[in-house]
């Protein structure tokens, strides 16, 4: 497959697929520190955190971009499909902590900024830098297709950021192109964070204390047992979250799973796929739309995949 030149991603998008969990109280930071993969105890007002919430077996139940709006208020932005079950599960662990959790989605407006719109508010920013812009919080994200990207969040009713409109579909494609996956319902409880490269994009702190699944996550990193990573792929036909990826070498056992996908303005679809490291160099991978139970995958009915370069370097296993 030959891909045309990359289009410019420039403008502002109202984001409808993400929601907001609010944690309020003097113990909000310490509570989240004990539940998530990143360091919230030392979180300041100038930075945000990418983090995962895991089971005791280290499998991701949700992913967040978290940041402070004040010293006792932290907002967690996550996929709406996981907000209710995640809020319910997190609330089970609050116990005596002085922290109140709630669904604050309706209280805030969320916009994605790309290109000059992001650079205007966050010039020279690095991923996960944060600043205030009036009542809004602006967080620098990983770039996509050579364009800066940022998340803008403000109380509902705040005037939207200024700039030309970027179609939501292009924003979603940019999110895929950044290769920083947001977990959603079809793939919940499937991956340890490193299978989505979270340790390479600032989503795991290996020096912090315990959290659910911490032992498994650490063992995957320090014992060299990690066999899956996240990769960017392109297909000429539609891809969807949860689709399994195969190689002709083994039509019974999937080598990977589509984590996030979006239509490409260049034609076809792009996706983030978590798959076996050993399969990433193959030229004959395909995504199968659906399998009948007991039947092997059929390469002739699948979407042929081309593995694309990642836009960041992977940290080596230790």
């Amino acid at each position: 497959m030959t891909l045309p030149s990359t289009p410019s991603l420039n403008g502002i998008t109202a984001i409808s697929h993400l929601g907001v969990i609010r944690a309020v109280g003097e113990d909000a930071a310490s509570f989240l520190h004990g539940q998530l993969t990143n360091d919230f105890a030392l979180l300041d007002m100038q930075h945000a955190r990418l983090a995962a919430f895991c089971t005791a077996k280290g499998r991701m139940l949700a992913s967040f971009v978290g940041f402070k709006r004040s010293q006792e208020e932290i907002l967690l932005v996550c996929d709406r499909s996981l907000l209710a079950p995640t809020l319910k599960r997190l609330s089970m662990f609050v116990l005596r902590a002085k922290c109140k959790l709630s669904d604050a989605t309706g209280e805030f407006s969320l916009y994605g900024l790309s290109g000059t719109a992001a650079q205007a508010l966050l010039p020279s920013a690095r991923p996960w830098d944060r600043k205030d812009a009036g009542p809004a919080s602006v967080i620098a994200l990983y770039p996509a297709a050579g364009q800066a990207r940022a998340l803008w969040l403000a109380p509902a009713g705040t005037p939207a950021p200024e700039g030309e409109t970027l179609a939501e579909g292009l924003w979603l494609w940019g999110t895929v192109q950044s290769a920083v996956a947001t977990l959603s319902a079809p793939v919940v409880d499937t991956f340890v964070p490193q299978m989505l490269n979270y340790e390479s994009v600032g989503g795991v702190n290996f020096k912090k204390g315990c959290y659910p699944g911490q032992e498994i996550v650490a063992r995957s990193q320090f014992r060299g047992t990690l066999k899956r990573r996240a990769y960017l792929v392109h297909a000429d036909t539609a891809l969807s979250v949860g689709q399994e990826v195969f190689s002709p070498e083994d039509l019974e056992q999937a080598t990977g799973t589509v984590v996030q996908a979006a239509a490409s303005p260049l034609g076809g679809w792009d996706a983030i796929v978590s798959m076996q490291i050993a399969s990433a160099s193959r030229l004959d991978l395909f995504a199968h739309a659906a399998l009948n139970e007991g039947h092997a995958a059929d390469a002739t009915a699948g979407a042929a995949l081309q593995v694309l370069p990642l836009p960041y370097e992977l940290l080596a296993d230790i």
Side-chain angles (χ1 to χ4, degrees):
M1 285 176 278
T2 302
L3 301 181
S5 58
T6 303
S8 175
L9 291 177
N10 194 68
I12 297 170
T13 307
I15 295 177
S16 61
H17 68 287
L18 300 178
V20 181
I21 293 175
R22 175 195 276 129
V24 177
E26 61 183 271
D27 294 339
S30 59
F31 168 72
L32 294 175
H33 186 81
Q35 297 297 322
L36 307 182
T37 58
N38 218 329
D39 184 336
F40 279 77
L42 298 179
L43 178 61
D44 57 29
M45 298 291 291
Q46 288 74 50
H47 296 89
R49 297 278 196 260
L50 176 69
F53 179 41
C54 300
T55 68
K57 294 182 179 181
R59 301 284 169 163
M60 292 173 63
L61 295 174
S63 63
F64 306 104
V65 175
F67 60 95
K68 282 186 173 180
R69 287 192 73 237
S70 68
Q71 290 304 315
E72 294 190 0
E73 181 184 13
I74 296 175
L75 300 183
L76 302 173
V77 180
C78 66
D79 193 272
R80 286 199 187 197
S81 67
L82 294 177
L83 192 150
T86 301
L87 178 59
K88 181 178 180 179
R89 188 177 179 94
L90 273 173
S91 298
M92 292 168 54
F93 300 106
V94 172
L95 301 177
R96 294 187 178 89
K98 295 178 180 178
C99 174
K100 182 179 179 181
L101 301 173
S102 62
D103 179 354
T105 302
E107 299 176 39
F108 293 95
S109 297
L110 278 169
Y111 284 84
L113 314 180
S114 188
T116 56
Q119 292 171 336
L121 292 178
L122 290 168
S124 305
R126 295 179 297 178
W128 315 128
D129 283 355
R130 176 205 177 277
K131 68 171 287 188
D132 289 324
S137 300
V138 188
I139 296 101
L141 304 175
Y142 267 74
Q147 297 291 334
R149 298 169 66 251
L151 183 68
W152 184 98
L153 182 147
T158 302
E162 295 182 356
E164 63 182 272
T165 299
L166 180 73
E168 187 172 15
L170 283 176
W171 173 261
L172 296 175
W173 177 71
T175 301
V176 169
Q177 282 286 307
S178 76
V180 180
T182 300
L183 200 74
S184 60
V187 288
V188 73
D189 198 11
T190 303
F191 314 108
V192 298
Q194 292 98 318
M195 291 180 185
L196 300 187
N197 303 344
Y198 266 42
E199 87 299 334
S200 295
V201 291
V204 181
N205 186 315
F206 292 103
K207 297 180 180 179
K208 59 164 285 185
C210 293
Y211 55 87
Q214 184 262 347
E215 184 176 341
I216 304 297
V217 174
R219 186 184 305 148
S220 297
Q221 192 73 20
F222 297 114
R223 294 189 180 180
T225 58
L226 188 64
K227 295 182 179 180
R228 287 176 179 254
R229 288 283 199 180
Y231 298 90
L232 277 179
V233 305
H234 177 79
D236 288 337
T237 55
L239 300 171
S240 59
V241 178
Q243 262 186 288
E244 293 185 317
V245 172
F246 292 85
S247 76
E249 187 176 63
D250 186 352
L251 299 178
E252 299 286 344
Q253 182 69 39
T255 190
T257 305
V258 175
V259 184
Q260 204 161 344
S264 170
L266 309 172
W269 283 65
D270 290 341
I272 302 171
V273 170
S274 179
M275 66 178 160
Q276 297 280 346
I277 296 170
S279 299
S281 60
R282 296 187 67 96
L283 302 178
D284 53 4
L285 298 171
F286 66 96
H288 203 284
L291 293 178
N292 295 322
E293 189 173 351
H295 290 74
D298 180 2
T300 63
L305 302 180
Q306 176 187 358
V307 179
L308 307 175
L310 283 170
Y312 51 76
E313 292 186 2
L314 293 173
L315 294 181
D317 292 345
I318 300 172

